[in-house]
């Protein structure tokens, strides 16, 4: 009976928390209501106030599961079960957040510990399992806000901290228990953060050198999981679009590029081993007479393995420098526990050979300019981006293929993440996609060019070569580690306090409702 009463008290809070999770999901593309994040966070904290750790886990899980269900419905293209499984998995991380945050809210330093714990939660979702899924970080929603400019100083983790802190400050202003002085301090601090962020200036000037780049979106013959069913057609589409570009150059209607960029999966057939695919690439390269960065799936390095790569194909020397994707997508490019799962989930047979991760950053010096190559989803992983940025990349390239998720909102979300990476690193980003969204993003995150989806598009642009590093690039992963460490420290202190409190309780306490089970309004 007591458990049913406790459940009855906690259920309304879980429902409200789920609503807060839905609001947070709507903060991101394709909905793009970023400031709902500053509503969702304090609403979540309100539902956690005064509940037990078990109650906090339920509330946090309701929040997180709904959040991811609204954020990544595009996974239903793979299967409704995949979307549900991911939402539950990622949502449980926020259940852990809720369990600890419910107790941290009682601590005098709660305004520091809570946003740090949020960053620790994002770090966990970005790391485990199977390399994590960093798609739900608060920072990604704020590309068009003045707050987004802070990414150039603090990095992505630091920006998520600032946004979570703003939510905490809003909660401090609205919380019934807050005194007048705390409300005033929280209000002033929140206004100061937003105001100061608007004063941040982002430089777009280069070192005096520029590069003329051509981005080719050749388009694909279909949508969904079968989009590469005619792999040769995809390659020929990109070859033909490049040949058309050369005709425009010869006619004087287009500027001759210094480099041409093809997207990920512009050839899904190994050009080292397939003569027809190699001939298609070399036809395009010899026509434009400049290097083409080709996105190719290659066989190896082991038996029944493949790699997703970027290959610099030179008109004189042929295939040269090569970068292999370091973060292949689990259940999309490789199957964890393959032998155990395939007998039960036949759909996984569509994945084919296991994609082996590459080793080392995608740094590619081409004609005196160093390009940093990132392939598709891995641009959301801090370590991959930090390695190319700190390694001296002067221009970033994203080779991607979003044809599976065309029209679902996923390409828009990835484009927003790419814009934030441009701000963080202070680099121009050249995006080549098989079917969209391709484009050019300036070092301040502003969009110079953005294609439609499932159309052919060839865009030629002149972009600055940049050497100066942002503070975020210099700091690298330190903001993430420090803030995560502080969040864990807050959780540990709360646990120690609970253990100490329990150790001091009498053996036969009076029969009253334990404090941890109270759910005050």
């Amino acid at each position: 009976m007591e458990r049913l009463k406790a459940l009855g008290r906690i259920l309304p809070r879980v429902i409200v928390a789920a609503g807060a999770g839905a609001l947070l999901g709507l903060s991101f593309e394709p909905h793009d209501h970023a400031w709902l994040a500053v509503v969702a966070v304090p609403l979540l904290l309100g539902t956690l106030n005064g509940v037990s750790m078990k109650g906090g886990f339920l509330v946090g899980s309701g929040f997180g599961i709904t959040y991811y269900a609204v954020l990544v419905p595009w996974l239903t293209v793979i299967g409704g079960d995949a979307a549900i499984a991911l939402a539950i998995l990622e949502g449980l991380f926020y259940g852990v957040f809720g369990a600890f945050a419910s107790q941290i809210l009682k601590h005098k330093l709660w305004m520091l510990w809570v946003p740090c714990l949020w960053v620790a939660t994002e770090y966990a979702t970005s790391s485990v399992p199977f390399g994590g899924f960093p798609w739900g970080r608060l920072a990604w929603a704020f590309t068009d806000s003045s707050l987004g400019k802070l990414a150039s100083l603090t990095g992505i983790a630091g920006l998520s901290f600032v946004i979570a802190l703003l939510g905490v400050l809003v909660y401090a202003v609205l919380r019934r228990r807050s005194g007048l002085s705390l409300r005033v301090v929280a209000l002033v601090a929140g206004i100061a953060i937003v105001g100061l962020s608007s004063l941040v200036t982002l430089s777009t000037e280069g070192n005096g050198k520029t590069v003329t780049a051509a981005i080719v979106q050749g388009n694909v013959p279909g949508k969904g999981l079968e989009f590469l069913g005619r792999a040769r057609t995809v390659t020929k589409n990109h070859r033909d679009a490049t040949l058309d570009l050369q005709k425009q150059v010869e006619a004087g209607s287009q500027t001759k590029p210094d480099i041409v960029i093809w997207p990920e999966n512009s050839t899904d057939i190994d050009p080292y081993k397939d003569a027809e695919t190699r001939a298609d690439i070399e036809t395009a390269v010899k026509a434009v007479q400049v290097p083409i960065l080709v996105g190719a799936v290659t066989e190896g390095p082991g038996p029944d393995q493949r790699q997703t790569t970027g290959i610099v194909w030179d008109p004189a020397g042929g295939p040269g420098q090569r970068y292999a994707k370091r973060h292949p997508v689990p259940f999309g490019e490789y199957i964890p526990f393959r032998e155990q799962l395939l007998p039960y989930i036949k759909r996984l047979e569509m994945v084919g050979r296991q994609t082996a991760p590459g080793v080392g950053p995608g740094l590619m010096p081409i004609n005196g300019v160093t390009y940093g190559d990132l392939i598709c989803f891995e641009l959301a992983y801090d370590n991959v981006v930090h390695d190319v940025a700190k390694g001296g990349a002067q221009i970033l390239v994203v080779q991607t293929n979003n044809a599976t998720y065309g029209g679902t909102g996923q390409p828009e979300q990835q484009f927003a993440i790419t814009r934030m990476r441009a701000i963080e690193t202070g680099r121009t980003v050249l995006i080549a996609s098989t079917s969209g969204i391709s484009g050019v993003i300036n070092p301040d995150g502003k969009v110079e060019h953005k294609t439609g989806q499932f159309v052919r598009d060839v865009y030629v642009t002149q972009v600055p070569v940049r050497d100066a590093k942002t503070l975020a690039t210099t700091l690298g992963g330190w903001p993430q580690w420090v803030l995560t460490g502080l969040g864990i420290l807050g959780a540990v202190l709360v646990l120690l306090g609970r253990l100490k409190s329990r150790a001091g309780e009498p053996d036969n306490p009076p029969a009253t409702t334990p404090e941890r089970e109270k759910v005050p309004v």
Side-chain angles (χ1 to χ4, degrees):
M1 184 62 70
E2 286 298 323
R3 289 187 177 181
L4 288 176
K5 289 181 178 179
L7 182 60
R9 290 194 295 267
I10 201 68
L11 186 58
R13 291 173 176 256
V14 174
I15 294 172
V16 174
L23 289 177
L24 186 55
L26 294 173
S27 300
F28 298 81
E29 294 283 3
H31 312 287
D32 194 25
H33 303 298
W35 288 100
L36 285 178
V38 186
V39 177
V41 173
L43 191 57
L44 171 63
L45 296 181
T47 62
L48 291 171
N49 181 40
V51 304
S52 67
M53 288 193 73
K54 290 181 180 178
F57 181 81
L58 290 174
V59 170
S61 296
F63 170 85
I65 292 170
T66 310
Y67 170 31
Y68 273 84
V70 174
L71 178 67
V72 291
W74 41 266
L75 266 180
T76 54
V77 171
I78 305 298
D81 52 350
I84 293 169
L86 180 70
I88 293 173
L89 174 63
E90 300 301 319
L92 292 178
F93 283 100
Y94 288 88
V96 176
F97 169 87
F100 286 114
S102 66
Q103 306 307 303
I104 287 175
L105 286 170
K106 302 172 185 177
H107 197 279
K108 62 182 179 180
L109 293 178
W110 68 274
M111 295 180 70
L112 170 64
W113 298 135
V114 168
C116 288
L117 185 63
W118 192 288
V119 173
T121 303
E122 289 191 348
Y123 186 45
T125 62
S126 302
S127 304
V128 293
F130 314 124
F133 184 69
W135 217 256
R137 303 169 79 178
L138 292 177
W140 304 140
F142 283 77
T143 50
D144 286 315
S145 165
S146 63
L147 288 173
K149 295 188 290 185
L150 295 176
S152 65
L153 305 175
T154 65
I156 303 304
L159 178 55
S160 284
F161 170 83
V162 171
I163 297 163
L165 177 60
L166 280 176
V168 166
L169 294 173
V170 170
Y171 177 63
V173 171
L174 299 178
R175 191 176 66 156
R176 185 177 300 178
R177 291 169 50 197
S178 296
L180 178 60
S181 59
L182 177 60
R183 294 174 194 265
V184 172
V185 169
L187 181 61
V188 171
I191 294 173
I193 290 172
V194 176
L196 291 174
S197 70
S198 66
L199 300 179
V200 176
T201 57
L202 301 175
S203 173
T204 59
E205 295 182 1
N207 61 11
K209 185 175 182 179
T210 61
V211 164
T212 302
I215 300 162
V216 177
Q217 178 175 300
N219 206 8
V220 299
K223 298 182 181 181
L225 292 176
E226 302 294 340
F227 75 97
L228 284 175
R230 289 168 279 176
R232 293 195 187 280
T233 302
V234 176
T235 304
K236 294 182 187 302
N237 284 354
H238 287 82
R239 177 203 64 187
D240 293 345
T242 305
L243 294 178
D244 288 344
L245 167 64
Q246 180 57 26
K247 291 178 182 177
Q248 294 175 36
V249 170
E250 292 172 355
S253 60
Q254 188 58 270
T255 305
K256 181 177 177 61
D258 301 311
I259 185 173
V260 175
I261 300 168
W262 285 9
E264 176 191 28
N265 293 116
S266 47
T267 171
D268 201 39
I269 303 172
D270 191 337
Y272 293 106
K273 298 187 176 182
D274 185 79
E276 184 178 345
T277 299
R278 187 183 185 104
D280 285 338
I281 296 171
E282 290 187 342
T283 297
V285 172
K286 289 177 181 178
V288 294
Q289 282 298 301
V290 297
I292 296 180
L293 179 57
V294 178
V297 175
T298 59
E299 297 180 16
D304 201 32
Q305 287 185 325
R306 64 185 177 187
Q307 287 188 312
T308 303
T309 66
I311 304 169
V312 180
W313 212 289
D314 188 80
Q321 300 174 75
R322 178 175 176 273
Y323 167 65
K325 187 177 185 179
R326 294 168 60 187
H327 259 285
V329 178
F331 302 103
E333 294 176 296
Y334 75 98
I335 306 172
F337 310 113
R338 181 186 180 96
E339 294 182 1
Q340 292 76 23
L341 292 177
L342 277 179
Y344 301 99
I345 310 176
K346 294 298 183 181
R347 188 171 67 245
L348 294 178
E349 293 176 354
M350 298 181 66
V351 174
R353 291 170 295 168
Q354 296 282 76
T355 297
V359 178
L363 292 168
M364 294 181 169
I366 304 173
N367 295 332
V369 177
T370 301
Y371 297 84
D373 192 19
L374 306 166
I375 300 180
C376 203
F377 276 39
E378 69 178 3
L379 70 93
Y381 292 89
D382 285 350
N383 64 317
V384 178
V385 178
H386 291 167
D387 284 350
V388 295
K390 299 187 81 168
Q394 297 166 304
I395 296 171
L396 296 185
V397 174
V398 174
Q399 295 178 287
T400 188
N401 167 34
N402 303 119
T404 301
Y405 304 108
T408 65
Q410 185 275 341
E412 292 284 357
Q413 289 179 1
Q414 185 172 315
F415 195 79
I417 292 173
T418 310
R419 290 181 60 195
M420 191 56 74
R421 290 303 190 187
I423 296 172
E424 180 191 23
T425 61
R427 294 291 182 267
T428 298
V429 185
L430 308 174
I431 310 165
S433 173
T434 51
S435 58
I437 301 170
S438 303
V440 178
I441 301 173
N442 295 328
D444 57 2
K446 293 181 179 178
V447 179
E448 176 185 320
H449 179 69
K450 180 180 179 182
T451 72
Q453 296 184 51
F454 295 104
V455 296
R456 175 190 282 194
D457 187 271
V458 178
Y459 184 73
V460 180
T461 181
Q462 188 177 71
V463 299
V465 177
R466 304 199 73 205
D467 296 315
K469 290 183 171 61
T470 62
L471 179 59
T473 295
T474 302
L475 293 175
W478 279 104
Q480 177 90 276
W481 302 329
V482 170
L483 292 169
T484 296
L486 288 173
I488 294 173
L489 176 61
V492 169
L493 289 176
V494 164
L495 285 179
L496 291 176
R498 283 174 58 85
L499 291 173
K500 184 177 179 181
S501 176
R502 286 183 176 182
E505 290 178 356
D507 292 336
N508 297 299
T512 58
T513 303
E515 181 65 25
R516 65 178 181 276
E517 293 183 2
K518 292 181 181 178
V519 189
V521 178

